[in-house]
């Protein structure tokens, strides 16, 4: 009887060890999940930095006009009325900016007539 009880306890202990090391939700699954978490954290790092930059830009756009002016200058090629725009031939400029704002370039104080806005003079 005593040997049978020890054998049964060893079998239960072996079964529990199997589930601990190799079973569903065991040690191997934990290692795999930890690897996936590490990979995802590495992928999320640049995204967190991008989100922080975007959040700072949104805050800046909401609070000040400097960021709006900078965005208008860089993205849309806009100039103020008291500035002069000089186009240097041979210098690469984004085609979108040339096409969109070609009619807006003029001498300070001069008005551009509607028939000259789209022309290539």
């Amino acid at each position: 009887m005593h040997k049978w009880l020890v054998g049964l306890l060893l079998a239960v202990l072996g079964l529990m060890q199997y589930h601990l090391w190799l079973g569903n939700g065991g040690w191997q699954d934990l290692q795999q999940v930890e690897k996936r978490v590490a990979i995802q954290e590495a992928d999320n790092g640049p995204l967190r930095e991008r989100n922080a930059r975007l959040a700072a830009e949104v805050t800046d756009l909401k609070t000040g006009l400097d960021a709006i002016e900078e965005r208008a200058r860089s993205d849309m090629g806009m100039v103020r009325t008291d500035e002069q725009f000089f186009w240097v031939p041979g210098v690469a400029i984004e085609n979108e900016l040339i096409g969109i704002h070609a009619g807006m370039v003029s001498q300070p104080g001069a008005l551009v007539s509607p028939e000259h806005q789209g022309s290539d003079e």
Side-chain angles (χ1 to χ4, degrees):
M1 168 88 177
H2 182 61
K3 289 183 182 182
W4 181 79
L5 184 61
V6 170
L8 180 65
L9 288 176
L10 285 176
V12 170
L13 181 64
L15 184 63
M16 289 173 48
Q17 288 294 315
Y18 172 79
H19 284 294
L20 175 67
W21 294 103
L22 305 173
N24 189 17
W27 187 256
Q28 283 184 341
D29 285 348
L30 177 65
Q31 296 300 320
Q32 291 173 356
V33 168
E34 287 176 350
K35 287 178 186 177
R36 289 196 323 243
V37 167
I39 291 169
Q40 190 65 48
E41 285 292 330
D43 291 344
N44 287 349
L47 298 175
R48 282 194 184 107
E49 292 174 9
R50 183 195 63 159
N51 287 347
R53 283 192 311 271
L54 289 174
E57 187 175 345
V58 166
T59 302
D60 198 21
L61 287 171
K62 285 182 178 180
T63 59
L65 296 177
D66 292 337
I68 296 171
E69 182 179 345
E70 178 185 339
R71 185 64 91 117
R73 288 173 179 274
S74 66
D75 291 352
M76 299 189 308
M78 298 184 80
V79 294
R80 285 190 269 177
T81 56
D82 61 342
E83 295 177 332
Q84 291 184 358
F85 176 78
F86 295 98
W87 178 50
V88 180
V91 176
I93 298 177
E94 291 183 30
N95 291 335
E96 299 166 359
L97 296 178
I98 293 172
I100 293 172
H101 303 292
M104 296 180 167
V105 177
S106 65
Q107 294 294 327
L111 295 174
V112 178
S113 62
E115 63 269 2
H116 289 99
Q117 280 189 339
S119 66
D120 294 323
E121 297 184 39

